[in-house]
Amino acid sequence: MSSQDDGHEARLAAPEVNVEPDGRLTVPAEHVTALLRSIARSWQAGAHDGIPVLDTEDGPGISLEPVTVRSLADVLDNIANQLDVQYIHITTRTTHTE
């Protein structure tokens, strides 16, 4: 099994959900980006061999061409990168203003 197959078999990075004192649910920022990236890696690994994605473990899935799957994975990676930039900006501002 190649390393690309390993990414396809890897479990998704489920985010940790915290309950704030006021009852709000929060998820650590790095867990959100890790989830997006793990989904993207899983999709990319599943589409690496040029075969359309047809099945899931639970039964028939959606038929998408590999180029579409890779494009969607790239979008998730891009969103994760944009979030990271925002997180860095926020933490840099907060650190310098304290």
Side-chain angles (χ1 to χ4, degrees), residues 33 36-37 74-84 86:
T33 55
L36 292 172
R37 288 188 175 104
D74 289 344
V75 168
L76 287 183
D77 272 332
N78 189 21
I79 292 169
N81 291 339
Q82 291 174 24
L83 287 171
D84 278 341
Q86 291 181 53

Side-chain angles (χ1 to χ4, degrees), residues 12-55:
L12 297 179
E16 171 188 326
V17 179
N18 300 309
V19 180
E20 298 298 319
D22 64 0
R24 288 180 306 128
L25 301 176
T26 61
V27 176
E30 64 271 11
H31 292 206
V32 173
T33 55
L35 175 61
L36 292 172
R37 288 188 175 104
S38 67
I39 292 169
R41 275 193 314 274
S42 175
W43 288 356
Q44 288 168 338
H48 82 276
D49 57 7
I51 299 171
V53 176
L54 297 172
D55 297 319

